[in-house]
Amino acid sequence: MSSRRRLAAGRLVIASHNAGKLREFAELLTPYGIDVVGAGELGLNEPEETEATFEGNARLKATRASRATGLPALADDSGLAVDALAGAPGVHSARWAGPDKDFAAAMRKLEDALQSTGATEPHQRGARFVAVLALAWPDGHVETVRGEVAGTLVWPPRGDAGFGYDPMFRPQGHERTFAEMTGAEKHGRDAPLSHRARAIAALKEACLG
Ligand code: IMP
C-alpha cells in the first residue's frame, strides 16, 4: 500500500565519488534496467554535508546531483549513533577520524567518551549503525529509506576486516564484531545484517521493480 514513487529504467546518477559504493549500487540496480553513472564522471563536486541528520545529508547530496544533471540521483549517508552519547558521533562519524581518516584514534576517542559517561557495562554501551539512502528526481521529488543495525560497543577493538568503527561494533545476537565477519556475513543477501544492506533492501521494496 505504498505511495512511493518508483524508479523507471534509464540513467541514474550515483551522488558519490567512492568507487566501492558505485560498484555496490551498480550491482544492485543493473538488474532493474538502470544504468548508473558516477558523480565524478559527470564532473560534479561533492557538496559539504551541512545537515544535522542522515536524511538531511542524503537528501542534500541527491537533490544537488539531480538538479545539476537533469537525471534521477541516488545518495547515501551513514554513521554510528551511540546511545550513551545522545547519538554521537552520528553524522560526524567520518569527521571524528580527522583528515587522515585515523579510525584507531576515532575509536579511542569514542572509548574515552564512553568511559567519561561511566558506560563500562555492555548494557550501557548500546549503539546503532544507520544508513539512509535518498533518491531524488529533477522535479524535486525525493524518497528516502533507512537501514539500521543495533549492537554493543566492545573494548579493545577486535578484528581487521571491514572499515571505520567495525572493530568496536558487535551486532545484537552475534558474538563477533563486524571486523571479525566476512563481507558476505555482514551484507548477507538473504538476511541482510548491515545497515547498508538493510537500507538497500528497503529501497528495492519501496522504489524498484
Ligand atoms: P559517509 O556515509 O561516507 O558520510 O561516512 C560514514 C562514516 O560512518 C564512515 O566514514 C565510517 O566512519 C562510519 N561508518 C558507516 N558505515 C560503517 C560501517 O559499516 N562500518 C564501520 N563504520 C561505518
Side-chain angles (χ1 to χ4, degrees):
M1 277 320 196
S2 121
S3 57
R4 298 279 209 163
R5 188 185 287 186
R6 299 185 90 79
L7 182 66
R11 283 223 297 173
L12 172 75
V13 182
I14 306 297
S16 169
H17 288 65
N18 178 321
K21 284 185 186 173
L22 269 174
R23 204 175 324 112
E24 205 171 296
F25 286 127
E27 277 172 23
L28 165 76
L29 297 162
T30 304
Y32 296 93
I34 291 155
D35 182 16
V36 309
V37 50
E41 273 177 72
L42 297 177
L44 302 181
N45 298 326
E46 275 186 288
E48 219 184 305
E49 299 183 8
T50 49
E51 300 296 314
T53 62
F54 297 111
E55 275 80 6
N57 282 325
R59 269 175 182 272
L60 178 146
K61 290 185 270 188
T63 49
R64 291 267 177 94
S66 182
R67 208 175 303 134
T69 59
L71 294 168
L74 180 69
D76 78 333
D77 198 43
S78 61
L80 180 69
V82 180
D83 299 343
L85 305 178
V91 294
H92 302 294
S93 294
R95 274 167 269 181
W96 272 35
D100 297 334
K101 299 196 186 331
D102 182 351
F103 280 97
M107 287 190 284
R108 225 173 299 116
K109 183 171 167 183
L110 184 53
E111 180 59 20
D112 288 347
L114 282 168
Q115 292 290 338
S116 68
T117 65
T120 52
E121 297 300 318
H123 73 272
Q124 299 169 309
R125 298 170 58 93
R128 277 167 300 131
F129 270 125
V130 179
V132 171
L133 299 176
L135 181 54
W137 283 263
D139 67 356
H141 185 85
V142 184
E143 295 285 352
T144 62
V145 293
R146 174 180 265 250
E148 294 191 4
V149 54
T152 305
L153 297 173
V154 302
W155 194 260
R158 304 193 318 241
D160 29 55
F163 71 104
Y165 299 89
D166 278 351
M168 270 185 88
F169 186 81
R170 183 169 61 72
Q172 221 167 58
H174 295 262
E175 288 307 316
R176 286 168 300 147
T177 67
F178 265 177
E180 294 173 309
M181 293 185 176
T182 62
E185 281 176 288
K186 193 178 157 185
H187 300 300
R189 277 180 202 247
D190 299 332
L193 176 60
S194 81
H195 48 310
R196 202 165 293 103
R198 287 175 176 176
I200 286 173
L203 182 75
K204 277 191 188 177
E205 172 82 24
C207 300
L208 301 175

PDB file of all heavy atoms in Angstrom, residues 51-69:
ATOM      1  N   GLU A  51      23.997  19.215   6.987  1.00  0.00           N
ATOM      2  CA  GLU A  51      22.749  18.945   7.721  1.00  0.00           C
ATOM      3  C   GLU A  51      23.025  18.192   9.025  1.00  0.00           C
ATOM      4  O   GLU A  51      24.076  17.575   9.194  1.00  0.00           O
ATOM      5  CB  GLU A  51      21.795  18.137   6.843  1.00  0.00           C
ATOM      6  CG  GLU A  51      21.406  18.848   5.561  1.00  0.00           C
ATOM      7  CD  GLU A  51      20.614  20.122   5.825  1.00  0.00           C
ATOM      8  OE1 GLU A  51      19.694  20.082   6.652  1.00  0.00           O
ATOM      9  OE2 GLU A  51      20.930  21.157   5.204  1.00  0.00           O
ATOM     10  N   ALA A  52      22.024  18.224   9.929  1.00  0.00           N
ATOM     11  CA  ALA A  52      22.195  17.614  11.257  1.00  0.00           C
ATOM     12  C   ALA A  52      21.698  16.169  11.308  1.00  0.00           C
ATOM     13  O   ALA A  52      21.856  15.504  12.326  1.00  0.00           O
ATOM     14  CB  ALA A  52      21.442  18.450  12.288  1.00  0.00           C
ATOM     15  N   THR A  53      21.080  15.693  10.213  1.00  0.00           N
ATOM     16  CA  THR A  53      20.557  14.320  10.206  1.00  0.00           C
ATOM     17  C   THR A  53      21.095  13.565   8.993  1.00  0.00           C
ATOM     18  O   THR A  53      21.490  14.174   7.988  1.00  0.00           O
ATOM     19  CB  THR A  53      19.016  14.309  10.120  1.00  0.00           C
ATOM     20  OG1 THR A  53      18.629  14.929   8.885  1.00  0.00           O
ATOM     21  CG2 THR A  53      18.380  15.061  11.287  1.00  0.00           C
ATOM     22  N   PHE A  54      21.052  12.220   9.097  1.00  0.00           N
ATOM     23  CA  PHE A  54      21.446  11.387   7.950  1.00  0.00           C
ATOM     24  C   PHE A  54      20.517  11.675   6.776  1.00  0.00           C
ATOM     25  O   PHE A  54      20.959  11.787   5.633  1.00  0.00           O
ATOM     26  CB  PHE A  54      21.373   9.904   8.322  1.00  0.00           C
ATOM     27  CG  PHE A  54      22.325   9.504   9.417  1.00  0.00           C
ATOM     28  CD1 PHE A  54      21.854   9.141  10.676  1.00  0.00           C
ATOM     29  CD2 PHE A  54      23.695   9.493   9.197  1.00  0.00           C
ATOM     30  CE1 PHE A  54      22.730   8.773  11.690  1.00  0.00           C
ATOM     31  CE2 PHE A  54      24.581   9.124  10.204  1.00  0.00           C
ATOM     32  CZ  PHE A  54      24.096   8.764  11.448  1.00  0.00           C
ATOM     33  N   GLU A  55      19.202  11.786   7.047  1.00  0.00           N
ATOM     34  CA  GLU A  55      18.225  12.061   5.987  1.00  0.00           C
ATOM     35  C   GLU A  55      18.565  13.379   5.290  1.00  0.00           C
ATOM     36  O   GLU A  55      18.526  13.467   4.067  1.00  0.00           O
ATOM     37  CB  GLU A  55      16.798  12.138   6.548  1.00  0.00           C
ATOM     38  CG  GLU A  55      16.093  10.812   6.688  1.00  0.00           C
ATOM     39  CD  GLU A  55      16.514  10.040   7.938  1.00  0.00           C
ATOM     40  OE1 GLU A  55      17.277  10.610   8.754  1.00  0.00           O
ATOM     41  OE2 GLU A  55      16.090   8.888   8.098  1.00  0.00           O
ATOM     42  N   GLY A  56      18.857  14.396   6.106  1.00  0.00           N
ATOM     43  CA  GLY A  56      19.153  15.716   5.547  1.00  0.00           C
ATOM     44  C   GLY A  56      20.348  15.682   4.614  1.00  0.00           C
ATOM     45  O   GLY A  56      20.302  16.229   3.505  1.00  0.00           O
ATOM     46  N   ASN A  57      21.419  15.031   5.036  1.00  0.00           N
ATOM     47  CA  ASN A  57      22.623  14.985   4.200  1.00  0.00           C
ATOM     48  C   ASN A  57      22.422  14.146   2.947  1.00  0.00           C
ATOM     49  O   ASN A  57      22.908  14.500   1.871  1.00  0.00           O
ATOM     50  CB  ASN A  57      23.810  14.451   5.006  1.00  0.00           C
ATOM     51  CG  ASN A  57      24.385  15.507   5.923  1.00  0.00           C
ATOM     52  OD1 ASN A  57      24.406  16.693   5.580  1.00  0.00           O
ATOM     53  ND2 ASN A  57      24.835  15.097   7.097  1.00  0.00           N
ATOM     54  N   ALA A  58      21.702  13.014   3.079  1.00  0.00           N
ATOM     55  CA  ALA A  58      21.461  12.170   1.907  1.00  0.00           C
ATOM     56  C   ALA A  58      20.594  12.931   0.901  1.00  0.00           C
ATOM     57  O   ALA A  58      20.871  12.928  -0.305  1.00  0.00           O
ATOM     58  CB  ALA A  58      20.798  10.856   2.325  1.00  0.00           C
ATOM     59  N   ARG A  59      19.561  13.630   1.385  1.00  0.00           N
ATOM     60  CA  ARG A  59      18.694  14.439   0.518  1.00  0.00           C
ATOM     61  C   ARG A  59      19.479  15.528  -0.185  1.00  0.00           C
ATOM     62  O   ARG A  59      19.307  15.765  -1.375  1.00  0.00           O
ATOM     63  CB  ARG A  59      17.648  15.189   1.369  1.00  0.00           C
ATOM     64  CG  ARG A  59      16.388  14.452   1.567  1.00  0.00           C
ATOM     65  CD  ARG A  59      15.492  15.242   2.527  1.00  0.00           C
ATOM     66  NE  ARG A  59      14.307  14.480   2.746  1.00  0.00           N
ATOM     67  CZ  ARG A  59      13.222  14.551   1.972  1.00  0.00           C
ATOM     68  NH1 ARG A  59      13.142  15.430   1.008  1.00  0.00           N
ATOM     69  NH2 ARG A  59      12.208  13.763   2.196  1.00  0.00           N
ATOM     70  N   LEU A  60      20.298  16.226   0.594  1.00  0.00           N
ATOM     71  CA  LEU A  60      21.092  17.318   0.040  1.00  0.00           C
ATOM     72  C   LEU A  60      21.967  16.825  -1.117  1.00  0.00           C
ATOM     73  O   LEU A  60      21.986  17.413  -2.197  1.00  0.00           O
ATOM     74  CB  LEU A  60      21.944  17.897   1.173  1.00  0.00           C
ATOM     75  CG  LEU A  60      22.925  19.030   0.945  1.00  0.00           C
ATOM     76  CD1 LEU A  60      22.956  19.891   2.198  1.00  0.00           C
ATOM     77  CD2 LEU A  60      24.311  18.525   0.669  1.00  0.00           C
ATOM     78  N   LYS A  61      22.649  15.694  -0.902  1.00  0.00           N
ATOM     79  CA  LYS A  61      23.551  15.185  -1.944  1.00  0.00           C
ATOM     80  C   LYS A  61      22.765  14.727  -3.169  1.00  0.00           C
ATOM     81  O   LYS A  61      23.164  14.982  -4.302  1.00  0.00           O
ATOM     82  CB  LYS A  61      24.393  14.025  -1.384  1.00  0.00           C
ATOM     83  CG  LYS A  61      25.428  14.474  -0.350  1.00  0.00           C
ATOM     84  CD  LYS A  61      26.330  13.341   0.100  1.00  0.00           C
ATOM     85  CE  LYS A  61      25.802  12.605   1.301  1.00  0.00           C
ATOM     86  NZ  LYS A  61      26.762  11.627   1.873  1.00  0.00           N
ATOM     87  N   ALA A  62      21.623  14.047  -2.946  1.00  0.00           N
ATOM     88  CA  ALA A  62      20.849  13.519  -4.071  1.00  0.00           C
ATOM     89  C   ALA A  62      20.193  14.650  -4.867  1.00  0.00           C
ATOM     90  O   ALA A  62      20.228  14.649  -6.097  1.00  0.00           O
ATOM     91  CB  ALA A  62      19.795  12.537  -3.566  1.00  0.00           C
ATOM     92  N   THR A  63      19.613  15.642  -4.169  1.00  0.00           N
ATOM     93  CA  THR A  63      18.905  16.705  -4.903  1.00  0.00           C
ATOM     94  C   THR A  63      19.892  17.587  -5.681  1.00  0.00           C
ATOM     95  O   THR A  63      19.634  17.952  -6.817  1.00  0.00           O
ATOM     96  CB  THR A  63      18.047  17.598  -3.979  1.00  0.00           C
ATOM     97  OG1 THR A  63      18.827  18.003  -2.879  1.00  0.00           O
ATOM     98  CG2 THR A  63      16.836  16.882  -3.460  1.00  0.00           C
ATOM     99  N   ARG A  64      21.059  17.864  -5.090  1.00  0.00           N
ATOM    100  CA  ARG A  64      22.065  18.660  -5.827  1.00  0.00           C
ATOM    101  C   ARG A  64      22.460  17.952  -7.121  1.00  0.00           C
ATOM    102  O   ARG A  64      22.533  18.568  -8.180  1.00  0.00           O
ATOM    103  CB  ARG A  64      23.344  18.822  -5.000  1.00  0.00           C
ATOM    104  CG  ARG A  64      23.207  19.686  -3.807  1.00  0.00           C
ATOM    105  CD  ARG A  64      23.585  21.148  -4.123  1.00  0.00           C
ATOM    106  NE  ARG A  64      23.348  21.928  -2.916  1.00  0.00           N
ATOM    107  CZ  ARG A  64      24.274  22.187  -2.006  1.00  0.00           C
ATOM    108  NH1 ARG A  64      25.505  21.768  -2.179  1.00  0.00           N
ATOM    109  NH2 ARG A  64      23.983  22.875  -0.932  1.00  0.00           N
ATOM    110  N   ALA A  65      22.733  16.641  -7.019  1.00  0.00           N
ATOM    111  CA  ALA A  65      23.199  15.893  -8.192  1.00  0.00           C
ATOM    112  C   ALA A  65      22.087  15.804  -9.234  1.00  0.00           C
ATOM    113  O   ALA A  65      22.346  15.890 -10.432  1.00  0.00           O
ATOM    114  CB  ALA A  65      23.660  14.498  -7.776  1.00  0.00           C
ATOM    115  N   SER A  66      20.846  15.651  -8.798  1.00  0.00           N
ATOM    116  CA  SER A  66      19.739  15.539  -9.741  1.00  0.00           C
ATOM    117  C   SER A  66      19.496  16.872 -10.453  1.00  0.00           C
ATOM    118  O   SER A  66      19.323  16.919 -11.664  1.00  0.00           O
ATOM    119  CB  SER A  66      18.476  15.082  -9.001  1.00  0.00           C
ATOM    120  OG  SER A  66      17.430  14.919  -9.910  1.00  0.00           O
ATOM    121  N   ARG A  67      19.529  17.940  -9.666  1.00  0.00           N
ATOM    122  CA  ARG A  67      19.302  19.262 -10.248  1.00  0.00           C
ATOM    123  C   ARG A  67      20.400  19.604 -11.261  1.00  0.00           C
ATOM    124  O   ARG A  67      20.145  20.129 -12.329  1.00  0.00           O
ATOM    125  CB  ARG A  67      19.244  20.313  -9.145  1.00  0.00           C
ATOM    126  CG  ARG A  67      18.387  21.490  -9.525  1.00  0.00           C
ATOM    127  CD  ARG A  67      18.225  22.505  -8.391  1.00  0.00           C
ATOM    128  NE  ARG A  67      17.675  21.939  -7.174  1.00  0.00           N
ATOM    129  CZ  ARG A  67      18.151  22.169  -5.951  1.00  0.00           C
ATOM    130  NH1 ARG A  67      19.213  22.933  -5.770  1.00  0.00           N
ATOM    131  NH2 ARG A  67      17.571  21.644  -4.899  1.00  0.00           N
ATOM    132  N   ALA A  68      21.641  19.244 -10.921  1.00  0.00           N
ATOM    133  CA  ALA A  68      22.771  19.606 -11.788  1.00  0.00           C
ATOM    134  C   ALA A  68      22.774  18.821 -13.094  1.00  0.00           C
ATOM    135  O   ALA A  68      23.337  19.277 -14.088  1.00  0.00           O
ATOM    136  CB  ALA A  68      24.089  19.385 -11.045  1.00  0.00           C
ATOM    137  N   THR A  69      22.161  17.632 -13.098  1.00  0.00           N
ATOM    138  CA  THR A  69      22.278  16.766 -14.274  1.00  0.00           C
ATOM    139  C   THR A  69      20.965  16.576 -15.019  1.00  0.00           C
ATOM    140  O   THR A  69      20.966  16.074 -16.144  1.00  0.00           O
ATOM    141  CB  THR A  69      22.762  15.366 -13.848  1.00  0.00           C
ATOM    142  OG1 THR A  69      21.807  14.825 -12.901  1.00  0.00           O
ATOM    143  CG2 THR A  69      24.137  15.415 -13.208  1.00  0.00           C
TER     144      THR A  69
END
